[in-house]
Amino acid sequence: MTSDTLFTKIIKHDIHADILFQDERVTAFRDINPQAPTHILIIPNKEIPTVNDISDEDESVLGYLFVVAKKLAGQENIDKDGYRLLVNCGKHAGQEVFHLHMHLFGGKPLGRMVQLEDSF
Ligand code: 5GP
């Protein structure tokens, strides 16, 4: 019996993903349902469900997500034109997988940051 998240199974290579980078702290792989020409997920190997669950000891690995994102953006040749880094947290953000992850989107103009609503 295992309680591994879907993404932990990817980290452990128990299920397949197109992994672009992996070391002892972070794994990055292509999103299965890309929303842009480049859509990569960058995740801490440690299971942290949401941003609400981070602790002081996670500060270093969370900063490292940005370092890996920057390197991957260069590898994907989207660094010059720009890209978007996004972390969803919880229901209102539409988080689907409860293993904290940073999205890296790029390869086309990405539009507005937040969908326009009638009012808020
Ligand atoms: P969230 O909405 O939680 O911020 O993003 C979850 C992301 O995980 C979605 O973009 C979704 O397409 C991606 N995803 C869900 N299941 C899998 C999977 O099995 N493999 C990969 N590579 N991506 C997945």
Side-chain angles (χ1 to χ4, degrees), residues 6-7 10 15-18 29-35 39 41 86-90 93-99 101-103 105:
L6 171 65
F7 285 176
I10 288 174
I15 63 172
H16 174 77
D18 185 0
F29 51 92
R30 293 197 192 280
D31 197 289
I32 202 167
N33 183 25
Q35 305 295 312
H39 186 176
L41 302 172
L86 176 83
V87 179
N88 289 319
C89 178
Q95 184 178 0
E96 292 171 359
V97 179
F98 287 83
H99 183 137
H101 49 281
M102 175 184 279
H103 294 258
F105 299 105

Side-chain angles (χ1 to χ4, degrees), residues 21-75:
F21 175 85
Q22 184 164 45
D23 67 8
E24 70 283 355
R25 288 194 287 167
V26 162
T27 301
F29 51 92
R30 293 197 192 280
D31 197 289
I32 202 167
N33 183 25
Q35 305 295 312
T38 292
H39 186 176
I40 296 169
L41 302 172
I42 305 154
I43 69 176
N45 294 342
K46 177 183 175 185
E47 278 186 15
I48 306 169
T50 79
V51 171
N52 287 334
D53 302 299
I54 64 179
S55 57
D56 290 354
E57 69 184 22
D58 300 323
E59 186 176 325
S60 159
V61 72
L62 295 172
Y64 186 48
L65 296 181
F66 280 90
V67 175
V68 172
K70 178 214 150 176
K71 287 182 179 163
L72 289 170
Q75 266 177 231

